[in-house]
Amino acid sequence: MSTESRLPQILGRMTSKLPVTVDSTVRRLAVLSLIGQTVLVVTGGAVRLTASGLGCPTWPRCTDASLVNTPEMGIHGFIEFGNRLLTFALAAIAVLMLVYLWNLRKERRDLFLLALGLLASIPAQAVIGGITVLTQLNPWVVGLHFLVSMALVVIATLLVNRAYGRTGRFAGVVLPSLPGAARPVMAAVALFSAVAVMLGVVVTGAGPHAGDADAPRNGLDWDLFSHIHAVPAYLVTAGALFGLYLVFRDRITGPFRSAVLMLLGVTVLQAAIGFTQYYNGIPALLVGAHMLGAALLISAATNAADVARSSPVK
């Protein structure tokens, strides 16, 4: 029997070993996806905050003659290439997720499409990263690169919720009924979180941490846009506090309570970092912490809105 004729049998034996239900491996891969996307935000911040944005001065190679960084490039080349390398790790996780979901691709199309979206983002992020380098760290392109990462944090958060059966059509958790105001308020919180992050990108593009000493800035008033950036952040805080009020007023337990507490905790922490960096000359370490906080905020806001949307209304 030829190899071609045996191929369906070989593939059949391989797929028969894959799960037919959402098991612990699928859930772990979903969590790894979310962690990986968050770490990518942090390493991307490290590239800019250490002035390593052009540590690999060309793309797709690191130099004209080498795919990887060389010792002569020093720490900047190591940091920039390390950030590029993390993309391959995320691609591997996404591929594994799709493999493990293969037998469930029709039954759990929601999970399969979310995992496929994460995998499809890898080449898109690589291209945007390449344009970033080739445009000598144009602040608008750098900002787009960051915003795509934020979108991937949203997708990864939804993937975790679906994999653990907390939300979506296949939710295995019975969620308590919520007041009618909970769903629109949490949706507004998610929207204002996204607006805050987008305005934060504008502030960053006007600030001093450009990723390279010669990188251009967007020419906008940094101080003015810092105050504008704070407005949706205040609205997120108000929404989180209102959610907390609903939780205690109606004695709500379960995932919504946890989501609101997490959202409020991240919001307060992010606000504290933001105010501290503003009044202390925006040191690089605090800017990096603020970037991590942005990823955590987007994830927490997505989770709260997702749980509220999946909960029955009183």
Side-chain angles (χ1 to χ4, degrees):
M1 185 180 294
S2 65
T3 303
E4 290 79 5
S5 60
R6 293 178 55 195
L7 186 59
Q9 297 178 9
I10 296 172
L11 291 176
R13 285 197 296 268
M14 292 174 61
T15 56
S16 66
K17 298 178 181 179
L18 297 174
V20 293
T21 59
V22 179
D23 61 7
S24 59
T25 300
V26 172
R27 296 188 182 101
R28 290 192 191 104
L29 287 172
V31 173
L32 277 177
S33 296
L34 179 56
I35 293 173
Q37 296 297 342
T38 304
V39 170
L40 186 63
V41 171
V42 175
T43 60
V47 168
R48 192 176 77 234
L49 297 170
T50 59
S52 302
L54 296 177
C56 287
T58 188
W59 183 88
R61 292 173 177 268
C62 195
T63 70
D64 290 334
S66 175
L67 285 170
V68 302
N69 61 302
T70 62
E72 293 77 17
M73 299 170 70
I75 187 65
H76 295 308
F78 177 81
I79 293 173
E80 164 63 6
F81 184 72
N83 185 57
R84 293 187 183 188
L85 204 58
L86 181 58
T87 305
F88 292 99
L90 291 175
I93 293 172
V95 168
L96 278 174
M97 188 74 173
L98 288 173
V99 169
Y100 272 90
L101 288 170
W102 184 252
N103 288 337
L104 294 164
R105 64 190 184 278
K106 294 180 180 179
E107 178 186 349
R108 292 304 307 267
R109 194 165 177 262
D110 57 334
L111 292 178
F112 194 80
L113 289 179
L114 287 169
L116 186 62
L118 289 175
L119 180 61
S121 73
I122 303 299
Q125 277 287 66
V127 170
I128 297 172
I131 296 172
T132 301
V133 172
L134 297 177
T135 57
Q136 301 296 296
L137 307 183
N138 180 289
W140 299 109
V141 181
V142 173
L144 176 61
H145 201 36
F146 178 76
L147 290 178
V148 172
S149 289
M150 291 293 101
L152 297 179
V153 169
V154 171
I155 294 174
T157 301
L158 294 175
L159 182 63
V160 170
N161 278 352
R162 302 298 191 273
Y164 277 86
R166 286 197 289 263
T167 62
R169 289 175 52 206
F170 299 92
V173 178
V174 178
L175 298 174
S177 298
L178 301 180
R183 188 176 296 181
V185 168
M186 290 302 109
V189 164
L191 174 62
F192 288 132
S193 297
V195 172
V197 168
M198 287 187 282
L199 288 172
V201 166
V202 176
V203 173
T204 301
H209 301 292
D212 187 80
D214 299 321
R217 303 283 71 206
N218 61 26
L220 299 174
D221 187 325
W222 176 85
D223 191 61
L224 172 63
F225 275 90
S226 293
H227 286 86
I228 295 174
H229 162 61
V231 173
Y234 294 144
L235 294 173
V236 170
T237 305
L241 287 172
F242 183 75
L244 186 66
Y245 163 72
L246 294 179
V247 164
F248 282 101
R249 187 195 70 178
D250 294 9
R251 298 180 181 180
I252 301 171
T253 59
F256 184 74
R257 176 191 174 100
S258 300
V260 167
L261 291 175
M262 184 184 301
L263 172 64
L264 184 60
V266 171
T267 301
V268 171
L269 177 62
Q270 183 71 330
I273 295 171
F275 279 116
T276 303
Q277 69 172 2
Y278 178 83
Y279 288 108
N280 288 275
I282 48 175
L285 188 61
L286 284 181
V287 174
H290 205 47
M291 292 180 69
L292 171 60
L296 297 178
L297 176 61
I298 285 293
S299 181
T302 300
N303 178 53
D306 191 35
V307 170
R309 183 176 179 272
S310 296
S311 300
V313 178
K314 288 183 178 180

